[in-house]
Amino acid sequence: MKHLLDTVSLSRDEAISILDIAEEMTQVSEREVKKLPVLRGRTVVNLFFEDSTRTRLSFEAAAKRLSADVLNFSAKGSSVSKGESLQDTIQTISAMGADALVVRHSGAGTPHRLAHTGWIDVPVVNAGDGTHEHPTQALLDAFTLRRALGGFPASGAVKDGPRGRGLDGAKVAIVGDILHSRVARSNVHLLSRLAAEVHLVAPPTLLPWGVETWPVTLHYDLDEALRSEDFAAVMMLRVQHERMHESFFPNEREYARLWGLSAARLAGLPEETFIMHPGPMNRGFEISAAAADSPRALVLDQVENGVSVRMAVLYRLLTGREETND
Amino acid sequence: MTDYLIRGADVLGRGAADIAIRNSTIVDPELLDPTSSDVEVIDAGGLVALPGLVDMHTHLREPGKEDAETILTGSRSAAAGGFTCVHAMANTAPVADTAGVVEQVHRLGRTAGFTEVVPIGAVTIGLAGEQLAELGAMARSAARVRMFSDDGICVSDPLLMRRALEYVKTFDGVIAQHAQEPRLTEGAQMNEGVVSAELGLPGWPAVAEESIIARDVLLAEHVGSRLHVCHVSTAGSVDLIRWAKSRGINVTAEVTPHHLMLTDELVRTFDPVYKVNPPLRTDADISALREALADGTIDVVGTDHAPHTAEHKCSEWTAAAMGMVGMETALPIVVEAMRDYDFDFGDLARVMSSSPARITGASGHGSLEVGASANIVLIDPNSAHSIVPDDHATKGRNNPFAGLEVKTTITDTFFYGHRVLAGGELSTPHPAGASWTDQ
Ligand SMILES: [Zn+2]
């Protein structure tokens, strides 16, 4: 594995291996000195063309816990419109001595392009590209699910945590704006590769054309989906308020009523169903406060696991090359 | 000017014959004395002779974007591709929406002297889609514009489209429509389909093209005018055009070499060389387009040659410009695309020369008959090579066929009797300077 650009090209074995390394990394986070010396002297560049403090901080924490130096490069807006080309930006960063690039961009495919143009020859991690993919988010979701469904604490260090296994047979519902969600795309590929059974629940306007070709079961009606299936987890997606102005749905009230995880729907869920959300949440819109704050919500575990999973990814990409020289 | 005796070329694929050129006209070979020092004899055994190609759809970028292409570099590219006549789209800066701009383009084309450059006038002022440009003034200018298009942008206002179709009847003009419903394609980056669903790139549905074509053929029928549909890219569009023709509607249609050959699967590379408007579609669309070209539903191949500077293509996908160059690879690509169809050299001459000449009124092109203007291309159908964009005469390096193996090479182009391409090498512009068509 040279880059982590998407989950669609991640094999089941590779994914499980990253989750297993992340298990090891949770141990580091428990230590008094939360640091491993494995990436000492290496520089990880966070190249964020789009603001995301949460994701950037998570990658920064991950790199620092592996003793890497971190450079944050914020280049908001289209590079071409600012007069500096993507190529110039990347070659500048390359000249500063980057050993890995973590890239966030509003346009689908930009990390992929950086990995394949030859402008820079370092591992590239996709930290979210447009509405394409967000592979580390899906990995941390899978990690959290594997913990929770295995009966382990959903986050934190666990002595004999779940290793070597996938999510075989787990029914996971992803609810909301699938069309504009890179989290949904990455999760569909990864969870199904880990042999979970993925269900998508959304109004037809928020599902991509051609979604029937995906390895998922589709539902337009949330209540019917919840009635007919016993989900191991329900993952609510953030819905942007602006979508109603683009006629994806009439208004927030109707959306919340039909597709929100209300207190009533929460009450109707089987006791063992977990609730997930990639954050940040719109409380009272796609998710009620009751659901967000319920003990079965894994939202904060997801955030905590994000650091371990990103440590695992950086470790894998930055140390794997030396292994191949052996 | 030198007289030429082209010996033994397979004329239109119908068998070997001689073609003679004197004073920019095709003459009876008996009239030339092959021993005379004024006559250059060309052994064309193994080559195929076709009438010089006519491109209804190019972007030569001048005036305004000379860093991407100029009328001279575009004309040289045309000659290298076998085109003796090219139509230059109006989306320049300034837009070709007045007699002054179209005359400038016309004059620059004559000065360049490698191909006949015919300007296309804008339908609306500034391509803004609000008010008709001076279509009559452009038609009556020295450039004698007959084809009008806002290409790059659709004339989406139905009333404006109706008026344009009606108005050009004054001078037997034609409106060439870039069929793209703007609201259905806001922010679109690629074909809407299973690939866009996975890549998360905003999609461009086939219906955005088809709904405009459906509307426009009905408008053309209603007002009894001529419509040309640029770069048809979907199977549904083919069905609509077939239906319109069966009703006797005066519509012609065009397909690009890239839409006959490439699919949206290539977008998975996120390489902006594959970013184009209309977008690359699917295998099913390609089959429908090839069939339509073979059976005549689609009348012509137009290149939609769209050079861009490296800055506009060496970027992330979403920031990159749309368009591909294609004049120098059009004919070889069409040959490859149509290999499995009932499509011979006569058909090739029809879709790349005589039909576009007829539709646009380019009277000096499209025929190899004695008495016709000597606009001729010679091709070698058995010269396998792979495409190297860096070797091309166009300034644009955004050719999507780089590395592709093709069997056909364009060896010679005769432009009003002057050999602008000789043995695969560009030579000199037409010696008659700016007055070659006036002879
Ligand atoms: Zn166009």
Side-chain angles (χ1 to χ4, degrees):
Chain A
M1 198 170 93
K2 164 118 202 243
H3 308 284
L4 180 66
L5 302 174
D6 49 46
T7 58
V8 70
S9 47
L10 210 54
S11 71
R12 178 182 165 99
D13 286 348
E14 278 170 332
I16 288 177
S17 145
I18 292 170
L19 299 184
D20 290 353
I21 298 171
E23 279 293 346
E24 303 301 326
M25 295 303 175
T26 60
Q27 312 285 343
V28 180
S29 308
E30 292 292 300
R31 292 198 201 169
E32 204 169 321
V33 178
K34 294 188 173 72
K35 275 204 174 195
L36 276 183
V38 291
L39 298 184
R40 182 167 294 152
R42 307 286 203 101
T43 302
V44 173
V45 174
N46 284 327
L47 178 55
F48 277 53
F49 292 94
E50 183 185 74
D51 284 336
S52 172
T53 311
R54 299 160 61 102
T55 306
R56 185 179 56 74
L57 285 176
S58 183
F59 270 105
E60 191 168 344
K64 286 184 170 164
R65 283 185 201 175
L66 296 173
S67 306
D69 296 321
V70 177
L71 290 178
N72 287 311
F73 196 103
S74 161
K76 217 181 139 197
S78 159
S79 54
V80 167
S81 71
K82 290 199 329 180
E84 177 175 334
S85 73
L86 185 65
Q87 181 175 1
D88 291 337
T89 305
I90 295 311
Q91 288 176 338
T92 302
I93 285 167
S94 182
M96 290 174 187
D99 294 298
L101 266 189
V102 175
V103 182
R104 171 85 150 216
H105 196 281
S106 61
T110 303
H112 192 282
R113 182 123 175 88
L114 293 181
H116 293 104
T117 40
W119 296 332
I120 191 167
D121 182 31
V122 300
V124 176
V125 181
N126 181 0
D129 61 330
T131 55
H132 177 218
E133 287 229 33
H134 193 358
T136 57
Q137 176 72 41
L139 284 162
L140 73 89
D141 289 339
F143 181 91
T144 309
L145 271 172
R146 192 171 76 160
R147 278 284 189 88
L149 300 181
F152 297 92
S155 57
V158 172
K159 198 144 185 34
D160 293 305
R163 286 184 174 79
R165 56 171 120 144
L167 296 167
D168 299 59
K171 278 189 191 177
V172 180
I174 305 176
V175 184
D177 186 356
I178 310 291
L179 178 65
H180 301 99
S181 176
R182 49 192 168 210
V183 176
R185 282 179 181 78
S186 285
N187 265 311
V188 165
H189 303 307
L190 181 66
L191 299 185
S192 47
R193 198 130 312 150
L194 294 173
E197 189 184 297
V198 182
H199 293 246
L200 300 181
V201 189
T205 46
L206 292 177
L207 288 166
W209 191 93
V211 72
E212 314 78 45
T213 60
W214 292 8
V216 298
T217 308
L218 294 174
H219 308 264
Y220 297 145
D221 186 319
L222 177 58
D223 287 315
E224 197 188 281
L226 294 177
R227 248 195 323 273
S228 60
E229 309 282 349
D230 280 342
F231 292 114
V234 176
M235 187 183 295
M236 305 306 295
L237 296 176
R238 178 178 169 79
V239 178
Q240 292 185 320
H241 296 268
E242 305 90 83
R243 299 298 175 209
M244 72 177 172
H245 302 303
E246 300 160 23
S247 295
F248 287 103
F249 49 86
N251 57 45
E252 289 176 27
R253 208 178 41 206
E254 174 152 322
Y255 183 88
R257 198 186 300 145
L258 295 179
W259 289 281
L261 189 53
S262 61
R265 290 195 177 104
L266 174 72
L269 286 179
E271 214 169 305
E272 63 280 8
T273 305
F274 291 101
I275 295 165
M276 304 177 78
H277 194 296
M281 295 185 281
N282 292 304
R283 284 167 181 259
F285 184 17
E286 78 263 358
I287 188 164
S288 61
D293 298 330
S294 82
R296 54 168 88 189
L298 302 175
V299 181
L300 292 176
D301 302 290
Q302 290 171 268
V303 174
E304 183 177 339
N305 293 335
V307 178
S308 305
V309 162
R310 288 171 179 128
M311 287 169 78
V313 168
L314 291 173
Y315 179 83
R316 214 25 240 284
L317 294 176
L318 281 165
T319 61
R321 295 166 120 197
E322 285 163 9
E323 282 166 23
T324 60
N325 290 341
D326 286 350
Chain B
M1 271 173 58
T2 317
D3 294 341
Y4 290 99
L5 182 59
I6 302 167
R7 282 217 149 132
D10 185 357
V11 178
L12 290 160
R14 291 178 198 146
D18 296 346
I19 300 173
I21 300 171
R22 168 171 284 169
N23 288 334
S24 70
T25 303
I26 298 174
V27 297
D28 186 338
E30 300 292 316
L31 291 182
L32 294 194
D33 173 7
T35 61
S36 156
S37 61
D38 297 336
V39 177
E40 185 173 341
V41 178
I42 297 169
D43 174 13
L47 304 183
V48 176
L50 303 174
L53 310 181
V54 177
D55 195 348
M56 290 182 66
H57 194 151
T58 67
H59 298 271
L60 299 186
R61 302 298 187 213
E62 190 175 359
K65 297 169 199 160
E66 290 83 357
D67 52 342
E69 192 84 288
T70 65
I71 287 173
L72 177 59
T73 58
S75 295
R76 288 169 61 85
S77 180
F83 290 94
T84 52
C85 179
V86 300
H87 292 75
M89 277 297 177
N91 62 338
T92 46
V95 169
D97 58 2
T98 61
V101 178
V102 294
E103 284 185 344
Q104 182 195 359
V105 170
H106 175 73
R107 197 169 50 242
L108 286 167
R110 290 187 153 224
T111 308
F114 279 91
T115 194
E116 185 164 359
V117 176
V118 182
I120 298 168
V123 177
T124 66
I125 295 172
L127 311 177
E130 284 161 8
Q131 210 182 332
L132 280 188
E134 301 170 3
L135 309 185
M138 290 189 272
R140 284 168 180 80
S141 73
R144 290 191 293 248
V145 176
R146 287 294 174 275
M147 182 160 54
F148 298 88
S149 182
D150 277 0
D151 183 64
I153 301 173
C154 181
V155 181
S156 62
D157 179 335
L159 184 64
L160 199 55
M161 185 62 183
R162 174 201 169 140
R163 298 278 189 256
L165 284 166
E166 285 177 310
Y167 193 77
V168 296
K169 289 202 286 182
T170 320
F171 33 80
D172 192 29
V174 60
I175 303 292
Q177 175 70 294
H178 170 114
Q180 177 188 357
E181 212 300 309
R183 282 282 282 156
L184 286 172
T185 50
E186 278 172 19
Q189 293 282 331
M190 67 172 296
N191 178 48
E192 181 169 76
V194 294
V195 181
S196 68
E198 183 183 318
L199 300 185
L201 283 168
W204 187 313
V207 63
E209 174 173 312
E210 294 155 4
S211 58
I212 293 291
I213 294 175
R215 180 200 78 178
D216 286 354
V217 295
L218 293 172
L219 283 173
E221 177 177 48
H222 184 63
V223 303
S225 189
R226 281 210 293 154
L227 170 71
H228 176 71
V229 185
C230 295
H231 43 52
V232 168
S233 71
T234 76
S237 298
V238 167
D239 288 341
L240 287 163
I241 290 158
R242 196 172 276 131
W243 172 84
K245 287 188 165 182
S246 75
R247 271 172 79 93
I249 298 171
N250 203 346
V251 59
T252 53
E254 156 193 304
V255 65
T256 70
H258 46 274
H259 287 111
L260 288 171
M261 202 70 173
L262 309 175
T263 72
D264 62 354
E265 287 292 329
L266 290 162
V267 182
R268 292 183 187 282
T269 64
F270 291 106
D271 184 340
V273 76
Y274 301 117
K275 187 171 176 181
V276 65
N277 172 349
L280 301 178
R281 306 283 188 183
T282 67
D283 275 326
D285 296 306
I286 284 186
S287 302
L289 293 170
R290 289 175 175 180
E291 210 159 290
L293 189 63
D295 73 17
T297 302
I298 291 178
D299 302 81
V300 305
V301 168
T303 64
D304 197 3
H305 176 85
H308 287 291
T309 57
E311 303 91 273
H312 289 100
K313 282 293 190 182
C314 286
S315 65
E316 61 271 37
W317 176 277
T318 46
M322 300 186 194
M324 302 170 165
V325 296
M327 284 195 287
E328 285 160 85
T329 47
L331 185 143
I333 293 298
V334 172
V335 170
E336 300 305 324
M338 301 306 288
R339 213 169 264 294
D340 297 334
Y341 290 75
D342 182 15
F343 195 83
D344 59 22
F345 288 114
D347 293 306
L348 192 61
R350 169 174 55 82
V351 302
M352 296 193 75
S353 179
S354 59
S355 287
R358 172 180 48 81
I359 294 164
T360 59
S363 53
H365 305 268
S367 171
L368 291 178
E369 298 294 313
V370 167
S373 293
N375 290 310
I376 303 164
V377 59
L378 299 180
I379 61 174
D380 183 345
N382 296 301
S383 56
H385 65 283
S386 68
I387 291 170
V388 183
D390 281 344
D391 294 348
H392 291 167
T394 175
K395 284 192 182 183
R397 290 291 167 266
N398 50 312
N399 187 308
F401 300 109
L404 187 81
E405 179 105 342
V406 292
K407 291 237 169 57
T408 315
T409 306
I410 293 107
T411 64
D412 295 84
T413 304
F414 295 87
F415 171 54
Y416 284 99
H418 182 67
R419 198 179 184 190
V420 286
L421 183 77
E425 300 293 329
L426 284 164
S427 66
T428 53
H430 198 290
S435 62
W436 37 262
T437 47
D438 303 331
Q439 303 169 62

